[in-house]
Every structure is written in structure tokens, then in C-alpha cells.
Amino acid sequence: MNFQDFIFYFFSTVLIASALGVITVRNPVYSALLLVLAFVTCAGIWLLLEAEFLAITLVLVYVGAVMVLFLFVVMMLDINLEKLKEGFWKWFPLGGLVALVMVVEIAMIMFGQHFSLEEMPAPEPKAADYSNTKELGRLLYTEYVYAFELAAVLLLVAMIAAIALTLRHREDKKTLDIAKQVNVKKTERLRIVSMQAERKK
């Protein structure tokens, strides 16, 4: 085993462990932090595949922006964990069946011929003037332009939904009415109340 194989297995082990931690830990903040770790280790694996632009984009966009936003949203929503656990055993059989189907599908793909060394050999070393950013841009805006535009629309919808969730009105939360503050009169700002004097015993 050479050094590159050792780095690959190390990153893969950390990635699988952090991904399992995302769905098993009870604290949503810890789950988000483990997802950050999964993104960073996945970026390391992409560096081994000579996809430097994708690795840097994963760290800058997902870890630096999306995950920070996700942490703020988790903290602002004030999720009631006890209420979420109420229907766990009710939906456990259906969730287990879906998980079993996903595991079988992943096993059929991973242990098939599509991911063998013959079908997917190690990437060949590129020339010094090769730019994977240029090649990725050419593929996105030519062969995969419709999928790229669809992903942009989905991200826009997700952004609007996140804003709508954070701006919802709560009955137990006090808010300010700016219009009433502007239209208030000087006679309404101060009220003098006549009270009898009391002496402390």
C-alpha cells in the first residue's frame, strides 16, 4: 500500500464515520458539525482524483456558507426534539424498508461492474497547462446546461423557503409595529396617574 492509498482509506473511513454520525447524533448542532467534517474529507478525496476546483468549491460554498447558514437556521427555529420523537416508532417500519432498499441499490452498484478498476481506472496525470475549471465550465454550459439551470432553480426555491421559515409570525413572540410608533402623538407618550401617597411601615 502506497501513501496515496493510505490517504484515500483514511479519508474514506472518516467520511463514513462522520456521515453515520450525522444521522445518529441527537443534537442537531453536532449533526451539522459532523456534516462539515464529511464535506472536508470528501474534498480531500476529490483532491486525490485531481478535481481541485470541485474540492475548493465544496469547502468554500458548502462548508463556508451553506453550513454556517444551516447552523443559524437550526438555532433560530428552536426545534422541539421531544415532539419530533413522538412518531418515531410509528414510521420506523417504513423507514427501515426504505433504508433496506437503498442499501441493496448501493450494494448492487458498488459490487457490480460499473465501479471496477477496469471501468474506472485511476486518473492519468495531466499536463501542467491543463485546467479542470475550464473543462468543467465547458461541460456545464454545453452538454449539461439544462441540468445546470434546473439546479439553479431548485436552489432559488430552497432559498425562498428558508426565508419564509425564518420570517414566520409567532403568537408567543413580541413584535414592534413601526406604523403605530410613527403615528403616535405627544399626548399619548406620557400619562400622569393620580395616586395616594403611601408610607412604609
Side-chain angles (χ1 to χ4, degrees), residues 159-178:
M159 183 176 62
I160 295 174
I163 295 174
L165 285 175
T166 55
L167 291 180
R168 63 181 181 178
H169 298 283
R170 298 180 180 177
E171 297 180 356
D172 58 343
K173 184 178 180 182
K174 296 182 179 180
T175 58
L176 297 177
D177 194 342
I178 306 300

Side-chain angles (χ1 to χ4, degrees), residues 41-61:
T41 52
C42 186
I45 294 177
W46 282 358
L47 285 175
L48 294 177
L49 296 175
E50 299 183 4
E52 296 86 3
F53 177 75
L54 292 178
I56 296 300
T57 304
L58 181 64
V59 173
L60 292 180
V61 177

Side-chain angles (χ1 to χ4, degrees), residues 15 32-44 46 54-72:
L15 177 59
L33 293 176
L34 286 172
L35 189 57
V36 171
L37 178 61
F39 283 152
V40 173
T41 52
C42 186
W46 282 358
L54 292 178
I56 296 300
T57 304
L58 181 64
V59 173
L60 292 180
V61 177
Y62 283 91
V63 177
V66 176
M67 287 309 304
V68 174
L69 178 63
F70 180 75
L71 282 175
F72 276 106

Side-chain angles (χ1 to χ4, degrees), residues 63-179:
V63 177
V66 176
M67 287 309 304
V68 174
L69 178 63
F70 180 75
L71 282 175
F72 276 106
V73 169
V74 167
M75 294 177 183
M76 290 176 63
L77 290 180
D78 193 15
I79 301 175
N80 189 357
L81 298 179
E82 296 298 330
K83 186 176 181 180
L84 291 177
K85 295 176 183 178
E86 291 179 357
F88 175 78
W89 295 108
K90 177 182 178 181
W91 298 101
F92 180 77
L94 180 60
L97 179 61
V98 173
L100 180 61
V101 172
M102 293 178 63
V103 169
V104 171
E105 291 178 350
I106 293 174
M108 292 175 61
I109 295 175
M110 294 299 297
F111 294 102
Q113 300 296 326
H114 301 285
F115 286 90
S116 61
L117 294 177
E118 291 78 12
E119 294 291 334
M120 300 184 65
E124 298 179 359
K126 302 295 189 303
D129 57 347
Y130 178 79
S131 175
N132 54 15
T133 306
K134 179 180 179 181
E135 186 66 22
L136 181 63
R138 185 188 66 81
L139 289 175
L140 281 179
Y141 292 104
T142 54
E143 298 183 14
Y144 302 100
V145 61
Y146 294 113
F148 181 74
E149 294 296 334
L150 181 60
V153 172
L154 291 177
L155 288 176
L156 178 62
V157 172
M159 183 176 62
I160 295 174
I163 295 174
L165 285 175
T166 55
L167 291 180
R168 63 181 181 178
H169 298 283
R170 298 180 180 177
E171 297 180 356
D172 58 343
K173 184 178 180 182
K174 296 182 179 180
T175 58
L176 297 177
D177 194 342
I178 306 300

